[in-house]
Amino acid sequence: MKPLYLGIDASTQSLTGIVVDCGASEVLACESVNFEKDLPCYGTSAGVCVSPENPLEVWSYPAMWLDALEMLFAKLSKSVDMKKISAISGSGQQHATVWLNSAEAFSFWDFSKSLSENMRPFFSRDKSPVWMDASTSAECREMTMSAGGYSEVLQKTGSIMTERFSGAQIRKISKTEAKTYAKTKKIHLNSSFICSVLCAADSPVDFCDASGMNLMNIKNFDWDPQMLDSCAQNLESKLPKLASPKTVAGKIAKYFCRKYGFNENAKIVVFTGDNPSSIVGLGASNSGTAAVSLGTSDTFFCSLKDFRPSVNAHIFCNPNGAYMGLICFRNASLARDKFREMMGVNWKFFDETAFKNYMPTPDKKLILPFFVDEISPRLQSNAPIYAGFPPKDSKENYIRTFIEGQVINIFLQVKKIGPIPKKIILTGGASKSLGIAQTFADVFGANVYALKSSQNSAALGAAMRAASCDYDLNTLESMFCPLKQIKKARPQATQVYLKKLNLFEDMLRSNIR
Ligand code: XUL
């Protein structure tokens, strides 16, 4: 009997499960449960609720994630022989915290009840603040001050204090809901919570997801006493243990064997965050490779050998060893769409026609491509800024310069955290644009690839991490993440951009407010 491996991704909007068969190097099944559509009783919109009084406050419900887990297993068990699954791992939206009033919450299951009914008495809060919550600026300032300044926090935790990260969220709840904080015995992350449920035992948080808390010292992989002190009282006693992402947390609980036919020897590999999981599922967990997801926000991931933090980036532990960098850009697809509309052209013109037979030549045309305040780098903006254009110029020139501006900005931020990658994997909607792909290749001097088959990268990465109980992670990346090359760097163009980078940097500097 060939073993199968299951990866589960608990993301913001849905819960997805992917089953892989390493014998055949194929994805055998993929099922998903959509929180808003399939669990309307929780009243979420796209998986979250936003406070009507304060739009910066955003939360979700851990009980909903559990209901979704059962729905997912019911769906999967229709097409997969669950007995053949020999290991399970998973990932979760990063930063979300789950608040429990007992350290023993996971030790008892009543088979006649659903998971959420079993767990409900153990929640000290029924809500979980999620990564979209940005209501903790005061707590970020307070923690930065008491931990010795932003550079100290950056060096210790890999990120400056960040509103959505768990540390600031925990501090806010400890201040505003002191009674809840006092009666809370355990604060899990989404990832370690679902992992604990699956093995009916208190599971550790892996180093990679813990890097998104501003509480772990990323150099010694331990809770940092000063960060904990600056956050809330007696916090260490409430946090799970920390563990390497390779740790086997336990075996699957009887509850799931009885209800969904799992094999009782199925191992559970500790869960991690969705971004560390994605870097594996995209085949980019080895150094020298980067992945760029072009979407509502553009997200750049790369594996890093050395720890070189930057205020605009987040450095996390990498499930495949050493570090990974994550840089988010707010001015992304919506900005591209807005600019396309301003130019009055369709997507075909914007993506292809404007770049047909185009080879950059030295000129001083520049666009700072920001329609809204940017986070990488942090700057305020409400419209693009132009330089070096003659009074009347072609739409093609404007479009190319706008895209160049976006890619050059990404390049400049990436340069701060490590060597420039020589292999870039593009994913997401805009990755189909040949003009954008060629601009990435030329600005970075790198070859640009796309994945041959598109999967939920976090869930696939989780299945691959489960399979890493028996297979090497690098072998799994070549099995499940085959690439096709879409564009090559043209050295002549890279030379031109090398000069333009400096001009862009100067313009950026003089416009940061
Ligand atoms: C990363 C982040 C999001 C969440 C949800 O810092 O906030 O990517 O992990 O996907």
Side-chain angles (χ1 to χ4, degrees):
M1 176 166 105
K2 280 210 197 88
L4 305 176
Y5 303 90
L6 167 63
I8 299 166
D9 176 50
S11 80
T12 317
Q13 303 191 25
S14 56
L15 191 90
T16 302
I18 282 185
V19 178
V20 296
D21 175 345
C22 293
S25 299
E26 68 174 22
V27 170
L28 197 71
C30 176
E31 293 288 353
S32 209
V33 175
N34 181 284
F35 298 135
E36 181 184 331
K37 261 203 343 250
D38 299 328
L39 289 159
C41 57
Y42 288 92
T44 65
S45 167
V48 299
C49 295
V50 180
S51 161
E53 289 88 44
N54 177 3
L56 297 179
E57 240 171 58
V58 186
W59 67 86
S60 187
Y61 296 101
M64 178 179 78
W65 305 334
L66 297 182
D67 287 344
L69 191 65
E70 301 218 62
M71 291 168 91
L72 178 73
F73 289 161
K75 278 187 175 184
L76 281 173
S77 60
K78 287 195 183 129
S79 62
V80 175
D81 180 354
M82 305 293 264
K83 279 247 156 0
K84 286 192 182 169
I85 295 174
S86 85
I88 302 168
S89 192
S91 60
Q93 54 171 306
Q94 292 202 258
H95 322 301
T97 45
V98 179
W99 296 64
L100 302 168
N101 59 25
S102 164
E104 267 81 59
F106 306 107
S107 53
F108 173 76
W109 299 118
D110 178 344
F111 294 103
S112 68
K113 291 182 178 166
S114 72
L115 276 182
S116 61
E117 282 165 349
N118 269 297
M119 279 305 299
R120 226 176 267 278
F122 295 111
F123 291 124
S124 53
R125 290 181 102 237
D126 62 345
K127 295 174 182 174
S128 169
V130 298
W131 65 278
M132 292 157 91
D133 186 297
S135 66
T136 60
S137 299
E139 288 73 20
C140 285
R141 278 194 300 275
E142 290 159 5
M143 285 182 68
T144 305
M145 292 273 281
S146 85
Y150 82 93
S151 153
E152 190 75 13
V153 175
L154 180 65
Q155 288 299 330
K156 280 182 165 180
T157 72
S159 301
I160 56 168
M161 282 304 306
T162 306
E163 279 81 356
R164 65 186 188 281
F165 278 34
S166 324
Q169 296 289 341
I170 293 172
R171 176 162 177 82
K172 181 182 155 202
I173 293 169
S174 78
K175 281 166 44 186
T176 55
E177 300 172 38
K179 278 196 189 135
T180 303
Y181 182 74
K183 71 173 184 220
T184 296
K185 295 281 182 312
K186 249 299 98 89
I187 306 173
H188 270 285
L189 293 186
N190 167 308
S191 61
S192 59
F193 170 66
I194 297 180
C195 184
S196 301
V197 167
L198 279 182
C199 47
D202 201 46
S203 151
V205 181
D206 90 301
F207 303 148
C208 310
D209 206 12
S211 322
M213 299 176 81
N214 279 137
L215 296 176
M216 184 187 77
N217 187 314
I218 198 164
K219 288 186 210 141
N220 66 16
F221 313 119
D222 211 346
W223 297 121
D224 186 86
Q226 211 183 348
M227 293 310 301
L228 296 188
D229 282 353
S230 70
C231 182
Q233 263 189 351
N234 301 325
L235 183 53
E236 187 159 10
S237 66
K238 299 179 199 265
L239 292 175
K241 298 226 163 352
L242 288 160
S244 139
K246 296 193 165 67
T247 310
V248 173
K251 288 200 175 149
I252 191 154
K254 289 204 174 59
Y255 181 92
F256 301 100
C257 303
R258 225 153 106 173
K259 269 184 125 163
Y260 304 104
F262 281 97
N263 183 328
E264 57 189 28
N265 288 318
K267 290 183 219 150
I268 312 287
V269 176
V270 284
F271 280 36
T272 190
D274 56 357
N275 293 301
S277 194
S278 280
I279 204 170
V280 174
L282 291 167
S285 73
N286 270 298
S287 65
T289 309
V292 190
S293 154
L294 298 168
T296 316
S297 63
D298 289 345
T299 309
F300 183 95
F301 303 96
C302 60
S303 48
L304 298 166
K305 276 204 187 114
D306 301 311
F307 177 67
R308 219 209 279 168
S310 152
V311 285
N312 299 321
H314 300 297
I315 308 293
F316 297 150
C317 295
N318 178 341
N320 203 6
Y323 297 102
M324 62 174 279
L326 180 144
I327 314 179
C328 269
F329 300 85
R330 251 186 108 197
N331 285 271
S333 285
L334 297 180
R336 287 185 281 274
D337 198 27
K338 237 175 164 168
F339 199 73
R340 180 190 62 78
E341 262 180 20
M342 270 168 64
M343 293 291 117
V345 298
N346 61 20
W347 277 116
K348 194 169 164 51
F349 187 96
F350 190 86
D351 287 345
E352 258 180 70
T353 319
F355 290 88
K356 213 166 194 164
N357 304 323
Y358 171 59
M359 174 61 84
T361 48
D363 64 33
K364 297 210 162 117
K365 290 177 197 169
L366 292 167
I367 301 181
L368 294 188
F370 311 117
F371 281 94
V372 290
D373 294 355
E374 180 52 61
I375 48 174
S376 306
R378 278 181 190 242
L379 55 81
Q380 291 178 329
S381 180
N382 53 20
I385 300 175
Y386 306 83
F389 283 88
K392 265 197 164 226
D393 207 339
S394 69
K395 288 179 178 179
E396 284 90 333
N397 275 343
Y398 274 102
I399 292 168
R400 292 191 294 243
T401 314
F402 183 85
I403 294 298
E404 279 168 13
Q406 285 198 324
V407 179
I408 289 175
N409 184 47
I410 295 178
F411 180 95
L412 291 173
Q413 305 315 316
V414 170
K415 204 172 74 162
K416 294 179 189 160
I417 58 169
I420 295 302
K422 287 290 155 230
K423 190 170 163 187
I424 296 178
I425 303 165
L426 284 189
T427 71
S431 63
K432 297 194 177 53
S433 156
L434 295 178
I436 295 180
Q438 187 65 61
T439 311
F440 265 99
D442 291 341
V443 170
F444 278 76
N447 290 332
V448 172
Y449 300 79
L451 290 164
K452 275 193 184 150
S453 58
S454 71
Q455 299 286 349
N456 172 320
S457 57
L460 178 62
M464 289 160 64
R465 289 183 55 254
S468 71
C469 281
D470 300 321
Y471 295 82
D472 169 60
L473 210 46
N474 297 326
T475 313
L476 290 163
E477 284 198 355
S478 46
M479 271 183 190
F480 292 106
C481 316
L483 298 174
K484 53 174 186 264
Q485 192 174 51
I486 44 179
K487 288 290 175 191
K488 271 192 185 151
R490 299 172 300 175
Q492 197 186 333
T494 306
Q495 281 307 318
V496 172
Y497 285 132
L498 222 53
K499 294 210 180 85
K500 235 177 176 179
L501 291 170
N502 297 330
L503 293 177
F504 188 92
E505 214 169 6
D506 290 344
M507 187 170 166
L508 203 52
R509 227 176 274 129
S510 55
N511 280 283
I512 289 185
R513 275 176 283 138

